[in-house]
Amino acid sequence: MAMEDAKTTERETWGSPLEFLLSCIAMSVGLGNVWRFPYTAYKNGGGAFLIPYIIVLLFIGKPLYFLEMAMGQFSSYGSVKVWEIVPILKGVGYGQALATWFVVTYYCVLIAITLFYFFSSFQTILPWTVCDLSWLSADNCYNSSADTNLTTFNISGLKSSSDIFFREEVMKKIDSIDDGIGLPDWKLSLCLLLAWIIICAILMKGVASSGKVAYFTALFPYVVLITLLVRGVTLEGASDGILYFIRPDWPKLLDASTWYAAVTQCFFSLSVGFGPIVMFSSYNPFRHNIYRDAVIISLMDTFTSFLAGITIFSILGNLAHESGKNVTDVVSAGTGLAFVSYPDAIAKFQYVPQFFAVMFFLMLLTLGIGSAVSLTGCVVTIICDDFPHWKRWLVVTGICLIGFISGLVYVTPGGLIVLDIVDYFGGGFIIFLMATIETIGICWIYGLNRFVRDIEFMLGIKLSAYWKITWAYIIPAVLVFIFCYAMGTYTPLKDGDYVYPAAATGAGWFLAAIAVLQVPLWAAIVIYRQENCSNLFERIMSSIKQTDHWGPKNPAHRLEWKKFQMEKPHHHTSYSARLWVPKIPSRMTYDVSTCNNNPLPDKDASHQRPKVTSAPHSRSTFENEIAD
């Protein structure tokens, strides 16, 4: 009977384990590896930055990645419903969802800009390689094309055609938003619409379609990166660029900002703390080996970052050689690196620069689409989990339409300034706070030992002390420090000498506040919805206990899980055991058995899980459950 029920309640799954792995790689290996990691590493000690980055990856990134994978696969829930494990922290899922949405709105704009350059790459003469007399800064422009010998004349005070093309022709960028941000550019708006149409088409049929697309979005960027690497290292001056990238600046290791940059880069690159990892793993079969996948994905992400860094700096080394500048003078941050320095370098190629331009921007497009699909899919999954009667294609269409409308603000002349603000406040430091609460909720409220036992039941492996120490102590402590450091060292955002207006940064703080306030707001809602509790204390204690919906979704697995819990009791009673494995004691000195421990019931009763009492089972109780 249980097995027959399982067939009807089983969640949609990936077509194959490889599709899940490639989808995670496509999500984690994104634009951040190409235009963020090389500059971040160079700015924070070069080769020395690799030391804190690898340490952060081993003790924060990789453990947190596996923790979120385990949460999603064990429960078959998205990043909000998964908090049936600790209902009072349901706001963490909504806070992460908002941060994810903030990020995806501007992430798709980067895809739109990439599409603009991609279409422009098919022209006989690449439009950013030569100065156009119609540009406002044409008098201060010099050509970026390969036939221009920049070492024969003084270019100080001038700007390359690639730089002016991006700022004036593509973005129509203004230096100040004091008088407003302007109107959206129609060309970029069409590219933005196309970007959302592509995402909508991929997500329309769920993991059945997005998994197939991952074969391309995960593998093609490596083909282009390796092609560019082979071409880059053969260019004159490439060795100088690579040395600039890997040369260690050892004093930087003692700078707290270097470690802050390593944590930020790790979160941005792996997408931990945002929710897509929980969402992707929730579509896995219950016994899938995510332990192996977490190791592979974290290694692939690091390898890709290093590969991109060497590739990019080999090309920038050639650019510096051709222009007679130092490498430091041709390296830009963020969008400047992706859409100014790279096109400038491609313009220097002697043979078929159009081919390399098409390949490069197609690579950026696939990297961006892979990450944007996962971020958007996270939001879609949350809505579909909460409203199972809603048709998926309608949810996807509505989300993509709202995303397109929201993204129009970024394709205005002041859009890049808005992007900086949303990036910092909407998807930056608040993720550290959410990840901290996430690990505390799992390890110190639900109980680390209990969670480790759940993983043992699911995967059949016993986790080592490495996972317990990182989850329970290292990750919360480090993330609290990083969050406090970000708050303590905050300075008003600026672009060059222009300090962003107070109204703009105030709007940024408002976005951050909306996400953070989800935690206390939903905690209050969950506590309020506890029924039949005689006082506030009982309501709170009932709210921190997992609901009847937590556990394996498959009824057969669920009964096995209850038997596993009964036959191998795992609640330690000694003080040393509690110190080593934090947990909430299983037997309370107060009675909350009369409270309703299911504060947020499923909206569709037909989708509810078999009710299993959360109290410790006796063998007779379990046998009766089997009989039922």
Side-chain angles (χ1 to χ4, degrees), residues 180-199:
I181 60 175
L183 297 175
D185 178 72
W186 69 271
K187 294 180 181 178
L188 281 180
S189 297
L190 290 178
C191 291
L192 180 63
L193 178 61
L194 177 59
W196 278 108
I197 290 175
I198 294 173
I199 294 172

Side-chain angles (χ1 to χ4, degrees), residues 394-435:
L394 286 176
V395 175
V396 171
T397 303
I399 288 294
C400 292
L401 180 60
I402 295 173
F404 166 70
I405 296 174
S406 302
L408 291 176
V409 68
Y410 302 107
V411 296
T412 60
L416 290 181
I417 295 177
V418 178
L419 189 151
D420 287 342
I421 294 172
V422 175
D423 178 41
Y424 182 82
F425 291 101
F429 61 87
I430 60 174
I431 290 300
F432 301 148
L433 180 61
M434 295 299 171

Side-chain angles (χ1 to χ4, degrees), residues 299-455:
L299 291 177
M300 287 297 296
D301 180 77
T302 306
F303 167 75
T304 307
S305 296
F306 295 159
L307 176 65
I310 294 175
T311 302
I312 297 312
F313 270 83
S314 66
I315 296 175
L316 294 180
N318 172 257
L319 176 61
H321 174 79
E322 294 289 337
S323 61
K325 296 181 178 181
N326 293 324
V327 177
T328 54
D329 298 326
V330 297
V331 180
S332 303
T335 54
L337 182 61
F339 302 113
V340 176
S341 297
Y342 293 168
D344 213 1
I346 293 173
K348 301 297 180 186
F349 287 6
Q350 293 287 342
Y351 305 103
V352 287
Q354 292 84 354
F355 170 76
F356 288 101
V358 169
M359 293 291 287
F360 176 76
F361 289 111
L362 184 57
M363 177 192 70
L364 287 187
L365 178 61
T366 55
L367 287 173
I369 290 294
S371 297
V373 165
S374 64
L375 294 173
T376 309
C378 178
V379 179
V380 171
T381 297
I382 290 172
I383 297 176
C384 289
D385 279 351
D386 282 346
F387 303 96
H389 282 311
W390 291 12
K391 295 185 181 298
R392 182 182 177 87
W393 71 270
L394 286 176
V395 175
V396 171
T397 303
I399 288 294
C400 292
L401 180 60
I402 295 173
F404 166 70
I405 296 174
S406 302
L408 291 176
V409 68
Y410 302 107
V411 296
T412 60
L416 290 181
I417 295 177
V418 178
L419 189 151
D420 287 342
I421 294 172
V422 175
D423 178 41
Y424 182 82
F425 291 101
F429 61 87
I430 60 174
I431 290 300
F432 301 148
L433 180 61
M434 295 299 171
T436 302
I437 301 175
E438 179 180 81
T439 53
I440 291 175
I442 296 297
C443 299
W444 295 91
I445 300 181
Y446 178 71
L448 175 60
N449 189 44
R450 187 182 299 173
F451 187 67
V452 169
R453 294 284 294 173
D454 290 344
I455 295 176

Side-chain angles (χ1 to χ4, degrees), residues 19-50:
E19 288 184 11
F20 167 71
L21 180 63
L22 292 178
S23 295
C24 288
I25 292 176
M27 170 186 63
S28 298
V29 179
L31 294 176
N33 299 82
V34 175
W35 63 261
R36 184 166 179 153
F37 178 84
Y39 178 81
T40 302
Y42 164 77
K43 183 180 179 182
N44 291 278
F49 176 76
L50 303 182

Side-chain angles (χ1 to χ4, degrees), residues 87-344:
I88 201 171
L89 297 182
K90 202 178 191 74
V92 173
Y94 284 110
Q96 290 175 330
L98 284 175
T100 299
W101 181 248
F102 296 151
V103 170
V104 79
T105 56
Y106 75 74
Y107 207 91
C108 288
V109 174
L110 298 178
I111 299 175
I113 299 174
T114 301
L115 284 169
F116 188 97
Y117 273 85
F118 175 74
F119 294 134
S120 300
S121 300
F122 289 95
Q123 299 184 29
T124 305
I125 299 177
L126 297 177
W128 61 83
T129 61
V130 293
C131 300
D132 193 320
L133 295 179
S134 64
W135 294 346
L136 296 177
S137 303
D139 294 338
N140 298 321
C141 176
Y142 66 86
N143 292 340
S144 298
S145 57
D147 57 358
T148 303
N149 189 354
L150 300 178
T151 60
T152 60
F153 62 93
N154 184 14
I155 60 173
S156 59
L158 302 180
K159 294 182 178 180
S160 68
S161 55
S162 299
D163 189 354
I164 298 177
F165 176 79
F166 173 69
R167 298 182 182 277
E168 296 188 6
E169 185 66 16
V170 180
M171 298 303 303
K172 309 290 193 302
K173 188 175 184 298
I174 55 178
D175 297 327
S176 169
I177 60 172
D178 295 339
D179 298 324
I181 60 175
L183 297 175
D185 178 72
W186 69 271
K187 294 180 181 178
L188 281 180
S189 297
L190 290 178
C191 291
L192 180 63
L193 178 61
L194 177 59
W196 278 108
I197 290 175
I198 294 173
I199 294 172
C200 183
I202 294 174
L203 289 174
M204 193 68 72
K205 293 184 178 180
V207 295
S209 57
S210 61
K212 300 297 186 295
V213 174
Y215 284 99
F216 180 77
T217 57
L219 299 177
F220 178 75
Y222 290 101
V223 176
V224 178
L225 273 179
I226 293 174
T227 302
L228 291 176
L229 176 64
V230 173
R231 174 55 179 160
V233 296
T234 60
L235 295 173
E236 194 171 0
S239 58
D240 295 333
I242 296 175
L243 287 176
Y244 264 90
F245 174 61
I246 65 176
R247 182 181 293 123
D249 184 5
W250 298 115
K252 283 285 189 179
L253 289 178
L254 303 177
D255 190 346
S257 63
T258 300
W259 292 87
Y260 174 75
V263 175
T264 303
Q265 175 61 34
C266 184
F267 269 69
F268 190 88
S269 183
L270 287 175
S271 297
V272 291
F274 285 92
I277 300 171
V278 177
M279 179 269 295
F280 270 179
S281 60
S282 71
Y283 295 109
N284 274 337
F286 185 73
R287 304 292 185 183
H288 180 72
N289 189 359
I290 52 174
Y291 186 91
R292 172 200 60 203
D293 290 349
V295 175
I296 293 174
I297 294 165
S298 58
L299 291 177
M300 287 297 296
D301 180 77
T302 306
F303 167 75
T304 307
S305 296
F306 295 159
L307 176 65
I310 294 175
T311 302
I312 297 312
F313 270 83
S314 66
I315 296 175
L316 294 180
N318 172 257
L319 176 61
H321 174 79
E322 294 289 337
S323 61
K325 296 181 178 181
N326 293 324
V327 177
T328 54
D329 298 326
V330 297
V331 180
S332 303
T335 54
L337 182 61
F339 302 113
V340 176
S341 297
Y342 293 168
D344 213 1

